[in-house]
Amino acid sequence: MTFSLSQGASKLAKLGVVVKRLSAIEDLGSIEILCTDKTGTITQNKLGITEVNSYQVDQTLIHAGYCSVTVDATRDPFDLAIQSKLNDNNMQLGEYQLIDQLPFDPVRKRNSVLIKTPFVQTLVSRGAPEAILESTTLSKEDKRGILDWVEIQGRNGRRVLAIASKTHTASSFSDFDERGMSYLGAISFEDPLKDSTKEAIEKAMSLGVQ
């Protein structure tokens, strides 16, 4: 049996598949449901902006760009997508200074920056829609409408970031200050499927794999 499984591993190796455990060869033939990572496996791992849900599209994109100054924008796919959209629309962030920041936190589900421009000092938050909406002055009805839109985006495999801002004159801020903010808009992002994904899924289905 070991010899037989080794032959199987050898054949798979010629197809670019590394078998770390010989018994896995036997398991392959009995797969009924295959679970796979999405990003970079069945998608291109290259986010693009699909839609901006806002009455202030330009301001939403610009303020989303302000929130990119706290991370390595050459690596973060959200920031790359935002910068690409700004470039496509011939938009610039203009002259600004980063005064203070709170990096992304999985508990707060947002990152925030305090930005000073020649005209005003602004606190900007960017993050999960439900977290951002909680800190805004929108009515429950308006929040519900936005979350309905977010749900539709999710059903289409898209990810969403919401943006909010407020004037803040102090030289620093805390999460306590992230309330009473003005909602600017939400941005949906899509990671396109690889060209080979459809064929791979169809082949798996033809073999009886869900």
Side-chain angles (χ1 to χ4, degrees), residues 36-47 77 157 159 190-197 200:
T36 175
D37 175 52
K38 177 179 72 69
T39 304
T41 303
I42 63 174
T43 68
Q44 299 175 18
N45 193 23
K46 185 179 180 181
L47 286 181
R159 303 172 69 180
E190 187 172 57
D191 187 0
L193 292 174
K194 289 181 177 178
D195 293 337
S196 59
T197 295

Side-chain angles (χ1 to χ4, degrees), residues 5 19-28:
L5 294 178
V19 178
K20 295 183 178 180
R21 182 169 52 88
L22 281 183
S23 59
I25 305 294
E26 197 172 8
D27 296 337
L28 284 174

Side-chain angles (χ1 to χ4, degrees), residues 148-158:
D148 286 344
W149 178 82
V150 171
E151 184 177 349
I152 293 172
Q153 300 304 306
R155 289 176 184 171
N156 285 291
R158 298 166 184 164

